[in-house]
Amino acid sequence: MTELSFKGNWNTLKGKIKQKYAQLTDDDLLFEEGKEEEVIGRIQKRTGETKENIRSFIAKL
């Protein structure tokens, strides 16, 4: 499991994530420091993707 760093460039990442998963809302991507797993869980719930696929996609950004 790779450690994802959302801090700093979250707005850029959020835009790219929304491009791939258009069904996500701003509320789905609401990020609070230390709550990375919560964000990934919301993305997973909306998209049906596995956590591993979501983590892999974000890590490549």
Side-chain angles (χ1 to χ4, degrees):
M1 185 183 294
T2 55
E3 186 66 30
L4 298 176
S5 177
F6 288 168
K7 247 179 18 180
N9 60 349
W10 178 242
N11 286 332
T12 304
L13 288 174
K14 185 169 72 169
K16 291 179 181 181
I17 292 169
K18 283 179 80 172
Q19 284 178 353
K20 179 167 175 77
Y21 305 111
Q23 68 270 38
L24 295 174
T25 65
D26 286 334
D27 287 340
D28 293 328
L29 297 174
L30 189 62
F31 172 71
E32 292 180 36
E33 190 170 341
K35 304 244 179 164
E36 291 88 355
E37 285 299 317
E38 200 173 290
V39 172
I40 291 173
R42 288 193 301 258
I43 295 171
Q44 181 184 27
K45 184 176 179 181
R46 279 280 210 189
T47 64
E49 290 280 343
T50 64
K51 284 187 178 186
E52 291 79 23
N53 286 347
I54 295 167
R55 286 180 162 282
S56 174
F57 174 73
I58 293 172
K60 291 177 186 175
L61 296 177

